Amino acid sequence: MSRWVLKGLKSGTVSSRYPVEIDRAKGISPGIIREDKGDFSADISSICPTGAISQREGGTFLDRRKCIHCMRCCEGEEKDSLWEKGFEWARFTEGGKPFPVRFKHSVHIRVVDVGDCGGCLNEIKLLNNPYYNMHRSGFFITPTPRKADVLLIVGRLTEHMKGPLIKAYEAMPSPKRVIAVGACALGGGIFEEDFITPHELSRIIPVDVEIPGCPPPPLSIYHGLLLISQQLSMDCKRT
Amino acid sequence: MDAIVSYIKSNYEVDVERREKTVLLTCRKEICPQICNVLFERFRCIFSGIVVDRLNENWLIFYIFLKKGERFLVQGSLVAEDDSFISISPYIHGADWHEREIEDLFEFRFEGHPRLGNFVLHDDVWPEGIAPMRQKDFPGATFDYWEDISPERLLDAPGAFIMPIGPIFSGEHESVHFQIETIGEEIVRCYPRLFYKFRAIEKKAQGMEVDRAILLSERIAGKCAFAHALGFCQAVEEICGVEVPPRAKVLRMFLSELERIRHHIGVLEGICSSTGLWVAASQLGMLEEKMLRLSCELTGHRYFFGMAICGGVSRDIENDLLSRAIEEVEEILSHLKEIETLLISTSSFLDRIEEVGVVGEEDVLHYGMVGPVARASGWVNDIRVVAPYLLYGELNFGIPTEIEGDGYARFRVFSLEIEQSLNILTQLLDRIKYGEVKRDVVYRQGWGLGIVEAPGGSALHWVRLDRDGKIARYRIITPSFMNWHGFHNAVEGFAFQDFPIILATFGLDVAENDR
């Protein structure tokens, strides 16, 4: 056993300094399209397979909730005005509220997979590894919704998972919050509405924070958790 | 191969058609089961799946078998209003789940099948008798109810009970429901109830453009995204008769092997955390994260989404980046070796995986299990050797095989495969060619079958394009679908506390199965 302890000590500390400092390590994020409106010479909306880039009256509009990082729009010269590196993508929804401040230091999370491909789920699993180590900010994954404060929902909601999801939500004690992770959970992505995926998640249960990305990298999910527990505010500027 | 064809021709009434590596045997649906039986029992072909397809208002059924570089397709068809086939699962148990899936989605009956219904479409959400795949625009649910599951009990003994687990359970596990029948400590029967995450990718793809359907095939399973997208692309390239440029071939193999290494490290991490070895799990988690960061540096995406494209790969990777990637993988592997040396001298780890979750070779063969799980029980059916694609036929690499079939054997196969993948990567470095990485593809009518070795085992992608070059039928047969079928063999007879460990050693993917 002592050899394991030694092995652990030998690895040193690898944890990210985020949120004290922005993490700039290579390969932590694929990047995403910019927010709001862009100014482009040509019509690039036809390249986008999910409608994240749309051409309407008044110019080209960008909706990063629908972006799936296929990077088909990145091939031209417009890349820099279109694409953004970084990972702080989580946003409150309209009417979404953070936790009262007194919950700040211990937030228990129940992950619910309602039709995920495994990408988002793997990124959530990685939040527990030494690089991100979400325990340092007081986030814990719990096996039961009865102990959970936050429901972290991944995937495109299927007809089969609707019942279990509602049950899990109702089993949670108040106050409770919901975070939707990934383009599929935000109603965008590549999975369209049809007989088996007819529901938009936000119509079934209220969503407080949305994290775009396909899948969002671990630090984006971390950002969402920090926002909802008020450890970080939206207008916080850091270098 | 000629021997097989001439034997079948002389004994049965069939039309034989050859197309490169594929032999198409067309016959009446009544004699399909007999031919399947001959291929499976007499010639030891590997049963790989069943595809139902429609051509000019006619419903066709294809039974796919593989044999050393050759593919045998037994084709039967339905006439007019007929809607029943003859079940082959009495001879080939691996076909059982395929037939149940087809019955649920198409409402074709299989005569002689003992148990149909309540499989893909759960009976507590959907009524029987709907056939979503047979209607062009299936409207979906017009009702709204959810019943509690009342599990079927087979065991009649004092104190016997059913332990339900899931669909929402454990830390961050995928959604799946288990019904475990027990009289206390020993698991007598285990029934995994899958398809909670059924997203009907096959249905969604119908009528879709090829470029868009690639994105869908990547999202069958995020952890094996590139392998599945590659399978899809190979099927389309077969239809359109496109030869991929040499540099794209190398890059495709490079990404496939990187993905395999990352997937297997993830599985090893799962095994360590299921046995409660948190230091080892953290160490392996670090290696997995390193692999993901490396992937992102190479391609711009941590899971290779958006890389595969029909006719090549979408973005080129510079040569010095490739050689630097290999150096980094070598370093990751040296760490992995260190961890493994510690693991195999940790008795608390070995005690929990050795001689636990045993699957025999006979079971593996009959259930049609694939990939590392099958190889740990002595059954070699690696597509990279059985039906080589890209440049795999030209390279030298070993296929790690064990015979014990227990958790430890699977652990060893997963870790040895990582070494072999690195071996393939280093050989690829000498074969890098210069030139373009993608070729234009003109989509045309026809069908194609793309077979690849995904990290979990062989994956089959059947694609039929219509006259406009859009997708008419897309059928995916994934390794997890085959392996989940045989999973219950491994847990039955073992103790309750072994269950999560056996589950981890299988490295199964629920999303890949549910599609």
Side-chain angles (χ1 to χ4, degrees), chain A residues 3-4 7 11 49 71-72 110 113 116-117 122-123 125-126 129 132 158 160 162 167 192 197 214, chain B residues 120 126 144 148 170 175 195-197 204 211-212 222 283 288-289 300-303 338 345-346:
Chain A
R3 288 199 290 171
W4 281 114
K7 173 78 190 154
S11 317
M71 296 183 202
R72 290 183 183 174
R110 172 65 242 186
D113 163 20
D116 183 44
C117 72
N122 203 42
E123 299 290 52
K125 185 195 85 183
L126 288 170
N129 92 17
Y132 303 110
T158 64
H160 289 163
K162 189 180 125 196
K167 273 189 182 174
E192 282 165 0
T197 50
C214 187
Chain B
V120 177
W126 303 91
D144 189 30
D148 272 322
S170 173
S175 293
F195 294 101
Y196 275 92
K197 304 203 292 176
K204 283 188 171 74
D211 287 344
R212 193 181 159 86
Q283 295 284 333
E288 191 185 357
E289 175 67 21
H301 196 284
R302 286 159 64 91
Y303 295 84
E338 231 176 276
S345 56
T346 305

Side-chain angles (χ1 to χ4, degrees), chain A residues 183-226:
Chain A
C184 297
L186 306 189
I190 200 75
F191 294 107
E192 282 165 0
E193 204 178 292
D194 75 349
F195 78 104
I196 201 83
T197 50
H199 313 290
E200 206 166 292
L201 180 66
S202 53
R203 298 228 178 102
I204 303 289
I205 54 171
V207 174
D208 295 283
V209 167
E210 293 183 327
I211 306 171
C214 187
L219 284 175
S220 291
I221 304 168
Y222 205 97
H223 178 232
L225 290 169
L226 291 172

Side-chain angles (χ1 to χ4, degrees), chain A residues 222-237:
Chain A
Y222 205 97
H223 178 232
L225 290 169
L226 291 172
L227 280 187
I228 209 153
S229 59
Q230 287 208 43
Q231 298 185 39
L232 195 71
S233 63
M234 267 315 295
D235 47 10
C236 178
K237 292 269 181 294

Side-chain angles (χ1 to χ4, degrees), chain B residues 22-34:
Chain B
T22 312
V23 181
L24 190 64
L25 305 160
T26 312
C27 58
R28 285 184 301 120
K29 69 166 191 189
E30 286 80 13
I31 51 174
C32 282
Q34 296 164 30

Side-chain angles (χ1 to χ4, degrees), chain B residues 364-422:
Chain B
V364 165
L365 185 67
H366 278 279
Y367 279 82
M369 290 163 85
V370 293
V373 175
R375 295 196 276 278
S377 301
W379 175 240
V380 186
N381 57 356
D382 193 316
I383 298 299
R384 294 174 293 174
V385 182
V386 175
Y389 55 100
L390 298 174
L391 306 174
Y392 283 114
E394 302 169 18
L395 301 182
N396 274 322
F397 58 95
I399 302 297
T401 313
E402 304 284 345
I403 48 165
E404 290 92 341
D406 61 349
Y408 188 36
R410 286 190 284 276
F411 173 82
R412 290 199 306 271
V413 168
F414 277 117
S415 77
L416 289 172
E417 267 190 23
I418 296 176
E419 272 174 46
Q420 288 306 320
S421 290
L422 177 66

Side-chain angles (χ1 to χ4, degrees), chain B residues 75-130:
Chain B
Q75 181 193 326
S77 61
L78 285 182
V79 193
E81 295 296 298
D82 189 9
D83 67 348
S84 70
F85 294 107
I86 294 160
S87 172
I88 64 161
S89 51
Y91 320 107
I92 306 168
H93 191 57
D96 180 25
W97 276 22
H98 290 269
E99 291 180 348
R100 288 179 72 184
E101 186 185 353
I102 292 165
E103 196 270 345
D104 241 13
L105 296 176
F106 289 89
E107 287 297 322
F108 290 130
R109 280 175 301 111
F110 283 89
E111 283 164 27
H113 194 291
R115 188 183 176 199
L116 293 168
N118 194 12
F119 184 58
V120 177
L121 300 175
H122 293 172
D123 271 4
D124 40 13
V125 184
W126 303 91
E128 278 293 323
I130 54 169

